[in-house]
Amino acid sequence: MKTRFLSILLLGLSLSMTPASAQLLLTVDAAAKTISFSGTDSGTTASNGRAIWDGGVGAFTLPGISLAGLFDASVNIIDARNTSIRVFESGSVGLSLNFFLDASPATVSGNGTTLDYPDFFSDDEQAILEASDGDIMVLSSGTGWSNINVEVVPEPATGLLLGLGAAALLLRRRR
């Protein structure tokens, strides 16, 4: 019985960590304080050459961070200043990604390169970013692209507390 329960639990965890095909995934590693992108997506830019995803509305608290080095593309990313992630002051996660590409349609892939975010975000902004697990960055300009999912890898202390809580619930259930 225990083995079956653990097998089902591990299968569920592995499936939840597998990104969907044809979709970009933003991973926020709260322990390492880094962000990275994985997955691949294709689509067509708007007439101005941009594909934009938004996760919130509100005033920007800092200028965009160049993320051009985190991606490989089938066309040139010709304006790295507009390939950015931003933290909004709104209640939502407030992440925004904006590609300016030299041709369309295009394919863009996250290449796994990481970027340290404490260099760019205040402590409050880091807390917003680290609380964004499960949020979605919705396509607002361009066609054919999928929404971008946000996944947060918790700090080890958070994972330890979750594990202890689950163990306590299992022990209590046994009694």
Side-chain angles (χ1 to χ4, degrees):
M1 183 72 165
K2 285 184 200 178
T3 306
R4 183 175 179 192
F5 173 76
L6 289 174
S7 297
I8 292 170
L9 179 64
L10 290 173
L11 176 64
L13 287 173
S14 66
L15 290 175
S16 69
M17 290 192 255
T18 304
S21 60
Q23 185 172 25
L24 291 171
L25 173 69
L26 167 62
T27 301
V28 179
D29 188 331
K33 301 287 187 190
T34 61
I35 59 171
S36 63
F37 284 86
S38 60
T40 299
D41 202 2
S42 297
T44 304
T45 60
S47 60
N48 62 2
R50 290 196 166 117
I52 303 171
W53 293 261
D54 289 315
V57 292
F60 296 124
T61 58
L62 73 160
I65 300 165
S66 176
L67 298 179
L70 304 183
F71 297 96
D72 296 322
S74 63
V75 297
N76 291 326
I77 300 174
I78 60 174
D79 191 346
R81 290 176 296 136
N82 284 326
T83 305
S84 56
I85 189 167
R86 296 177 172 140
V87 175
F88 291 83
E89 292 175 342
S90 65
S92 66
V93 153
L95 303 174
S96 178
L97 178 62
N98 181 345
F99 281 114
F100 188 34
L101 305 170
D102 71 349
S104 188
T107 299
V108 176
S109 300
N111 62 22
T113 302
T114 59
L115 177 72
D116 296 335
Y117 59 79
D119 297 339
F120 305 100
F121 296 123
S122 69
D123 290 343
D124 290 341
E125 292 161 341
Q126 289 179 50
I128 292 169
L129 185 64
E130 291 167 1
S132 64
D133 191 39
D135 285 350
I136 296 173
M137 296 165 61
V138 179
L139 182 69
S140 63
S141 179
T143 57
W145 305 90
S146 300
N147 293 334
I148 298 174
N149 289 327
V150 181
E151 174 185 71
V152 176
V153 178
E155 294 185 37
T158 304
L160 178 63
L161 287 174
L162 288 172
L164 288 174
L169 286 173
L170 288 173
L171 287 174
R172 182 177 171 106
R173 185 175 177 195
R174 281 182 127 183
R175 293 180 184 174

